[in-house]
Structures are given as structure tokens and as C-alpha cells.
Amino acid sequence: MLKIGDSIKDFGILKVVDSKSEREIEINDFKGKTTVLYFYPKDQTPGCVKEACSVRDSNSELLAMGIQVLGVSGDDISSHIEFIKKYSLNFPLISDTERKLSLQVGAWGEKNLYGKIVVGMMRSTFIVGPDLKIIKVWERVRAEGHGEAIIEFLKSNK
């Protein structure tokens, strides 16, 4: 998993969708702004819904701080569109079906799920600075209240 001070590298082109449109995203879209990349296992699952809604409820404050938020999972665009509509998500979701970004940052790997070791997306969050360097990492994120935790960190580290 990437650590504080490491840089995000080129991950190619990924599809991203929000409530209005679908587009492509690449590393240059992160340059010059602070970005929250939060990785979650699967659209529509209970923990992921709690986390997405927490981030949704915090996003207007994050936007006011000049922060862009991007959710990332291995789900496809059509799944993301349903998730966005059902929960009125007000931030884009990246479809990382080939794990280009999640493998690079270390968000894809072995995890313990109900006592079994499985391979999948690990709930984790990275704050990427305007210079593409990691300024904060949350491993094993607590889904509930995560949006507030992000804001608290950013306010205390201005």
C-alpha cells in the first residue's frame, strides 16, 4: 500500500461517471488539486452504502475547501450509475474493473472477510496532494462517519 510521501503514477485511462455524464480520467486530472480517492468493495452493499452516504453528506464542505472526491471500485459503469441514482451521490465514481489504480495504490489484495481470507478491494482512502504525492492514508476504513473523518483531517492539516 502506498504510504505518505509516495507518488501516484500513471494508471492509464479509466472510466468515471457522475450524476450527469460519463467520461474518462487520467493522472493529469489529479495534478494541481487535492483529491480524495476512496476505495470501496462493491456498489449497493451495506458498508459501502454507509460510506458513500457519509462522503455524500460531506462533499459540499469538501468542494468548498477545493477538494475533489472520487470513489473507486471494481464495479462497471452501469452499476455505478444505479448506485449514484439510488443514493443521490454527488461525486464521481471510477470504474476500476481491470484494477489499474487499485493495484498501484495497494487497495486490492488479501483481506479477511467473515473469517475467510479473500482477494478483493480493501476499504481504504488516500488523499493525494496537487503534486500527486500521498498526504494521508486510511487503511481498513470505518465506513460510518468516514466523510466527517476526511474533513476533520483536512481542517487540522491546513
Side-chain angles (χ1 to χ4, degrees), residues 96-108:
D96 192 15
T97 56
E98 296 176 14
R99 301 184 267 297
K100 292 178 186 178
L101 183 55
S102 53
L103 280 169
Q104 183 199 136
V105 302
W108 182 270

Side-chain angles (χ1 to χ4, degrees), residues 10-152:
D10 186 10
F11 49 80
I13 295 174
L14 296 172
K15 291 187 178 189
V16 63
V17 65
D18 60 23
S19 62
K20 298 178 189 88
S21 65
E22 180 183 328
R23 58 183 162 61
E24 293 179 335
I25 194 166
E26 60 183 342
I27 194 71
N28 289 334
D29 294 307
F30 295 4
K31 288 181 180 174
K33 57 187 99 164
T34 301
T35 303
V36 173
L37 286 174
Y38 92 87
F39 293 81
Y40 65 96
K42 186 135 183 66
D43 291 344
Q44 312 284 359
T45 56
C48 296
V49 168
K50 285 179 188 172
E51 184 176 18
C53 290
S54 175
V55 172
R56 175 201 64 204
D57 295 347
S58 300
N59 195 39
S60 60
E61 190 169 351
L62 290 165
L63 287 171
M65 296 167 72
I67 310 296
Q68 79 174 342
V69 174
L70 298 162
V72 185
S73 81
D75 294 300
D76 63 23
I77 289 295
S78 61
S79 177
H80 280 345
I81 290 169
E82 287 179 35
F83 194 37
I84 288 167
K85 286 181 182 175
K86 185 170 183 177
Y87 295 99
S88 302
L89 301 183
N90 55 5
F91 55 89
L93 299 177
I94 295 174
S95 179
D96 192 15
T97 56
E98 296 176 14
R99 301 184 267 297
K100 292 178 186 178
L101 183 55
S102 53
L103 280 169
Q104 183 199 136
V105 302
W108 182 270
E110 286 187 356
K111 61 183 183 175
N112 188 325
L113 186 65
Y114 307 113
K116 288 177 66 177
I117 300 298
V118 298
V119 175
M121 191 72 76
M122 295 179 282
R123 192 179 307 279
S124 50
T125 298
F126 301 82
I127 299 181
V128 182
D131 58 357
L132 304 181
K133 290 186 188 267
I134 305 295
I135 58 177
K136 174 68 176 165
V137 178
W138 280 273
E139 295 182 46
R140 294 182 284 284
V141 166
R142 182 177 175 268
E144 211 165 333
H146 189 51
E148 294 88 348
I150 293 168
I151 289 171
E152 186 177 311

